Amino acid sequence: MLNIALPKGRLGEKVYALLSSIGYDCKEWDPDNRKLVFSDEAKGVSYFWVKPSDVAIYVELGAADLGVVGKDILLEYSPDVYELSDLKMGKCRMAVAAKKDFIDDTERPLKVATKFTHIARSYYAGIGREIRVIKLNGSIELAPILGLSDVIVDIVETGTTLKENNLEVKEEIVPISTRLIANKAAYRFKKEGIDRLRSLLETKL
Ligand code: PRP
């Protein structure tokens, strides 16, 4: 059996559709009920429906052999897993944004609000800018509006959230997309099955 952790929600459903199109469909699959595990013994596959930010933990600790996760999570938490393929979905970018009229005063530390504290710290360390990180858990765009921070480091997809809050991208940090990851031990013991799934998947990308 291959155990696969999928991110709950639209992205997970898209990935399931892709896996199902290459033969990893699951008779029980029904993301609309409250079940969290869907198995199909005949197909040799079991899906776990996991909160997106938890997928990497399930895979790193071996509860799942494979998982589907955003590059943002891999950069932020550096889980000890293999990154097998870029699924070229969920494309967005990690960026610095601020109010349109924001001017950086380099005489003092920059106040940065973000969920992604590690990404923010390494980006600013790389350009030699001293910062103060304000860790938030959501609605990050509010921080510069209320003067809680000077800038934010956050995911920008369509740019609508920034636009509707009169903010704009100031610097792009890194492009983000969805990746297929594998548990390291599982990759050794189930190499044949995992490589097969991966190469079938890559023909569809
Ligand atoms: C993410 C991100 C932005 C938004 C960007 O938030 O934090 O707020 O999406 O998308 P856009 O460029 O298409 O507008 P999410 O919906 O994950 O919620 P959050 O407030 O919990 O971060």
Side-chain angles (χ1 to χ4, degrees), residues 108-128:
R108 56 180 190 83
L110 185 71
K111 286 187 282 174
V112 182
T114 188
K115 268 197 268 198
F116 301 95
T117 57
H118 178 75
I119 293 176
R121 283 188 213 283
S122 34
Y123 171 69
Y124 282 105
I127 59 171

Side-chain angles (χ1 to χ4, degrees), residues 89-101:
M89 294 176 179
K91 284 193 184 174
C92 52
R93 53 221 158 106
M94 188 65 67
V96 177
K99 286 204 219 166
K100 290 184 180 154
D101 59 0

Side-chain angles (χ1 to χ4, degrees), residues 83-149:
E83 188 180 319
L84 299 182
S85 316
D86 181 350
L87 300 182
K88 306 201 169 105
M89 294 176 179
K91 284 193 184 174
C92 52
R93 53 221 158 106
M94 188 65 67
V96 177
K99 286 204 219 166
K100 290 184 180 154
D101 59 0
F102 171 70
I103 295 166
D104 190 1
D105 173 5
T106 53
E107 297 294 303
R108 56 180 190 83
L110 185 71
K111 286 187 282 174
V112 182
T114 188
K115 268 197 268 198
F116 301 95
T117 57
H118 178 75
I119 293 176
R121 283 188 213 283
S122 34
Y123 171 69
Y124 282 105
I127 59 171
R129 178 75 171 96
E130 194 190 338
I131 62 168
R132 235 186 68 213
V133 169
I134 299 154
K135 163 90 165 104
L136 296 178
N137 298 300
S139 302
I140 317 294
E141 291 82 1
L142 205 50
I145 297 172
L146 300 185
L148 183 65
S149 75

Side-chain angles (χ1 to χ4, degrees), residues 115 137-139 141 154-161:
K115 268 197 268 198
N137 298 300
S139 302
E141 291 82 1
D154 200 14
I155 283 170
V156 180
E157 194 180 347
T158 59
T160 313
T161 313

